[in-house]
Amino acid sequence: MTVKKIITTVACFLPAMLLIMGLAINTAKADWILDMENSSLSFGSIKKNSIGESNGFYRLEGRITAEGDITLLIDLTSVETWVDIRNARMKEFFFETKNFPLAELRGKIDMAQFEKLEIGGQKSVETSFDLDLHGFQQTFDAQLVVLRLSDKTAVVIPGEIIFLDAGEFNLLPGLERLKKLANLPSISSSVPIIFRLSFNQTP
């Protein structure tokens, strides 16, 4: 092949190559959006020292940017305890959703460590989060496990049980109110959290 033909061939394929490279770069920099239908966030409550109950929220919004900034919004009015009157009491007396309808979680992870994560693979990561809840903010550390389900889908689960202290968010008065309304001797202020957050990468 002559030099002229080589140059002509490269010239023909160069635009296509640049287009493919551009698409790859844009995909790598795309954000990851929470898929609520395939996600869940639950918390436990323990009353009378030994009776455990599972509760949750059914409205969440989340995003992980290409730079690794994490945001999760929790609609506290969507709390679900599986008992209507208890739902109403949680909103009015515990979370006080008229004044504090949302909780917001913010954090950051290094996205570079996930770029080569193969489909079906998983990776553990430790990071810190800021949680705004009931007008108070607390920072806590968490171990997460990221599961790569496909090129465009990843799931984040806790690597260990996460506990929150209701007292750190000024929720103890509301907890006492719930205890009196339900005529209970005790409700634990230590709250275990578990979640399964599914994210899809956007174009």
Side-chain angles (χ1 to χ4, degrees):
M1 183 179 289
T2 65
V3 173
K4 184 177 180 180
K5 288 183 177 181
I6 292 174
I7 293 174
T8 302
T9 302
V10 171
C12 291
F13 282 101
L14 186 58
M17 293 170 62
L18 292 175
L19 177 60
I20 292 172
M21 290 174 63
L23 289 174
I25 291 172
N26 288 336
T27 298
K29 292 183 178 180
D31 291 354
W32 295 77
I33 306 300
L34 183 72
D35 176 6
M36 183 61 233
E37 290 187 2
N38 293 300
S39 300
S40 62
L41 172 60
S42 301
F43 65 95
S45 58
I46 301 175
K47 61 185 182 182
K48 297 182 179 179
N49 297 321
S50 61
I51 300 176
E53 296 173 330
S54 180
N55 317 282
F57 301 95
Y58 59 86
R59 284 198 295 269
L60 310 170
E61 292 183 16
R63 177 185 294 268
I64 304 175
T65 68
E67 293 73 30
D69 295 313
I70 302 170
T71 304
L72 180 67
L73 294 177
I74 305 166
D75 183 351
L76 300 178
T77 67
S78 73
V79 64
E80 181 59 79
T81 67
W82 317 112
V83 178
D84 289 343
I85 191 171
R86 193 159 59 199
N87 289 346
R89 289 173 176 176
M90 289 286 287
K91 296 173 192 178
E92 182 176 359
F93 303 117
F94 187 67
F95 291 121
E96 296 182 296
T97 56
K98 286 186 178 180
N99 297 320
F100 310 104
L102 298 174
E104 182 176 4
L105 186 74
R106 296 183 304 276
K108 191 174 183 64
I109 57 175
D110 180 9
M111 296 297 286
Q113 60 185 314
F114 302 107
E115 290 179 359
K116 296 183 179 180
L117 184 60
E118 297 181 354
I119 296 174
Q122 66 179 50
K123 186 174 182 60
S124 297
V125 59
E126 291 187 6
T127 189
S128 296
F129 291 97
D130 294 324
L131 176 61
D132 287 323
L133 173 62
H134 200 245
F136 288 77
Q137 181 182 104
Q138 294 292 332
T139 300
F140 63 95
D141 298 326
Q143 183 181 59
L144 306 177
V145 176
V146 179
L147 311 172
R148 189 70 174 264
L149 300 188
S150 71
D151 286 338
K152 302 293 185 181
T153 303
V155 171
V156 180
I157 60 175
E160 56 188 16
I161 298 175
I162 298 173
F163 288 92
L164 296 181
D165 184 352
E168 293 182 345
F169 299 94
N170 195 34
L171 292 168
L172 292 183
L175 197 65
E176 285 297 314
R177 183 70 181 273
L178 293 180
K179 189 171 66 173
K180 291 180 180 179
L181 288 171
N183 194 28
L184 294 171
S186 66
I187 302 177
S188 176
S189 63
S190 183
V191 182
I193 306 291
I194 191 168
F195 52 82
R196 183 184 187 278
L197 303 178
S198 179
F199 291 88
N200 294 326
Q201 193 176 38
T202 58

